[in-house]
Amino acid sequence: MIAGGHSLIPMMKLRLARPTALIDINDVAELAYIRVEGAELRIGALTRHADLLDSPLVEEHYRIFADAERVIADPLVRNRGTVGGSLCQADPAEDLSAAFAAVDASVVIQGARGSRTVSLSEFHVGPYETVVEPGELLTEIRVPIRPGGGSAYLKVERRVGDWAVAAAGAAVWLDQDLIRSAGIGLAAVGAEHFRAAEAEAFLAGKPATEETFAEAGRIAAENTNPVADQRGPVDYKRHLAGELTVRALRAATARARGQEA
């Protein structure tokens, strides 16, 4: 299946992907939407990045997605690339995978035998690998809407629009000055399923203070497994993972309190 193709076509040019056939699904307009149903934000898999960035519903409920979209590639890519395509590409440095992981999203996968709903924590099984099987198609992403929350996404890149050196997204739900629950997504640093699960567990019930954020950042960094490459050495990436986690938590908390960050 191909819609935007901005990830698949470069891989084909490098002979990293050699599909025997491609089916253009750009005309399946039923899969391009952003809406609220019940207590969920629902996003069709063919929704373009630019539409996610400009959506008032997304801005109202989850600013993390607008934050992430602003640092994804450039307007040309955002106008054609799709949300579902980004998730299915499963690139370890992919921004939306970390953002959706932070907000505990789930995805709907459709096949000839029916549909199934899979948590995003189970969707990615490895670099460039997902649970989507042959003959199946990702059709929708679902994000629970919960009151009292705020979210944010931050990224370090070598140049504008580049893949992340490291990136972190956070979603925080407060009960007065206590963190009721939190989600942390990490990209490009080898976090399992794009999540900092140990740091999330630590945050539950803790006061929303700088000391708490610092410890969560330390835990998040400790549980990453970055790889040295042209974007930086391991220690640098691990340091960024911790620092960006702290900053994302700080910004998400400020938004949960109704403050700009």
Side-chain angles (χ1 to χ4, degrees):
M1 305 292 182
I2 186 169
H6 289 286
S7 297
L8 177 61
I9 291 174
M11 292 185 72
M12 292 172 63
K13 288 181 177 179
L14 294 170
R15 303 295 190 267
L16 298 175
R18 298 186 180 186
T20 56
L22 290 175
I23 301 172
D24 188 338
I25 59 173
N26 276 289
D27 290 335
V28 187
E30 295 86 352
L31 294 183
Y33 56 83
I34 301 171
R35 59 180 180 242
V36 172
E37 290 189 20
E40 290 181 325
L41 179 66
R42 299 194 176 188
I43 301 166
L46 280 187
T47 299
R48 308 291 172 178
H49 291 293
D51 295 328
L52 193 66
L53 174 59
D54 294 336
S55 169
L57 280 176
V58 170
E59 179 72 14
E60 177 185 356
H61 295 292
Y62 281 107
R63 293 174 64 183
I64 187 174
F65 298 130
D67 289 349
E69 288 290 5
R70 289 189 186 98
V71 294
I72 290 177
D74 53 39
L76 177 63
V77 171
R78 293 195 293 267
N79 284 335
R80 293 299 298 165
T82 64
V83 175
S86 290
L87 295 184
C88 287
Q89 177 69 8
D91 191 299
E94 208 282 306
D95 293 292
L96 282 188
S97 294
F100 278 112
V103 298
D104 200 26
S106 60
V107 298
V108 179
I109 300 169
Q110 182 77 42
R113 292 175 292 180
S115 65
R116 56 194 176 106
T117 303
V118 179
S119 166
L120 201 71
S121 294
E122 300 173 351
F123 180 70
H124 295 108
V125 295
Y128 306 102
E129 291 184 278
T130 73
V131 297
V132 179
E133 298 177 356
E136 290 188 323
L137 179 68
L138 172 66
T139 58
E140 184 178 70
I141 304 97
R142 297 178 177 178
V143 184
I145 296 173
R146 299 163 54 191
S151 59
Y153 190 83
L154 295 164
K155 173 179 175 177
V156 169
E157 54 198 339
R158 293 184 302 174
R159 55 186 178 271
V160 174
D162 194 8
W163 292 105
V165 178
V172 174
W173 289 269
L174 298 178
D175 184 359
Q176 296 183 4
D177 288 329
L178 294 180
I179 300 171
R180 187 164 70 247
S181 62
I184 300 171
L186 297 173
V189 290
E192 189 173 9
H193 303 301
F194 292 91
R195 294 189 78 162
E198 296 83 1
E200 292 174 354
F202 163 77
L203 286 167
K206 298 293 193 305
T209 63
E210 285 296 317
E211 291 77 11
T212 297
F213 301 156
E215 180 62 12
R218 186 195 67 76
I219 294 171
E222 189 177 76
N223 287 280
T224 59
N225 187 30
V227 176
D229 58 17
Q230 70 272 22
R231 292 184 173 87
V234 168
D235 289 346
Y236 175 57
K237 291 184 177 183
R238 186 170 286 124
H239 169 76
L240 284 179
E243 180 62 28
L244 291 174
T245 294
V246 171
R247 296 185 186 187
L249 286 168
R250 185 185 298 135
T253 300
R255 288 173 174 177
R257 290 169 170 161
Q259 304 165 351
E260 277 294 324

